[in-house]
Amino acid sequence: MRLSADSDAYKLLRDWIGQGAPWGRDDEPRLASLDVQLAETIASGASQQALKVVAKYSDGSERDVTATARYDSQTPMLLDVDFAGVIQTTGKAGQ
């Protein structure tokens, strides 16, 4: 995977490496779960829909991580998903 130098993911990775790639402190909140909104939907015909990914932490805080999440389609003949989390359906019927 190649990151564009002006992308949020590149800047996040660059800053982390610049800080010495720290693992984190024991007292920092830990990731508890990821919530993918629009995880299941029924689309008829070709359509476009955006995903939203929210990280939920052990201290109850939440953060939108849509821009830094990685997306892959397990059924590329039916839909494709881009680096921004936008799903494009082909309009072909699935089972």
Side-chain angles (χ1 to χ4, degrees):
M1 180 168 129
R2 188 168 184 91
L3 301 174
S4 172
D6 63 347
S7 71
D8 289 337
Y10 177 91
K11 292 172 188 171
L12 182 66
L13 183 59
R14 181 197 61 210
D15 292 347
W16 178 69
I17 292 170
Q19 296 167 5
W23 185 257
R25 298 185 325 247
D26 288 339
D27 62 340
E28 288 181 333
R30 301 288 183 205
L31 179 66
S33 66
L34 285 175
D35 181 24
V36 181
Q37 296 174 5
L38 196 64
E40 282 191 44
T41 187
I42 299 174
S44 59
S47 66
Q48 195 174 48
Q49 300 170 23
L51 294 173
K52 181 177 181 181
V53 183
V54 177
K56 297 183 179 184
Y57 294 92
S58 57
D59 66 352
S61 64
E62 296 183 359
R63 182 172 146 211
D64 184 341
V65 295
T66 304
T68 54
R70 178 179 170 179
Y71 306 95
D72 291 301
S73 173
Q74 294 181 354
T75 54
M77 69 288 282
L78 300 178
L79 63 89
D80 189 32
V81 60
D82 67 16
F83 288 112
V86 177
I87 298 171
Q88 179 72 47
T89 61
T90 63
K92 294 179 182 177
Q95 294 184 28

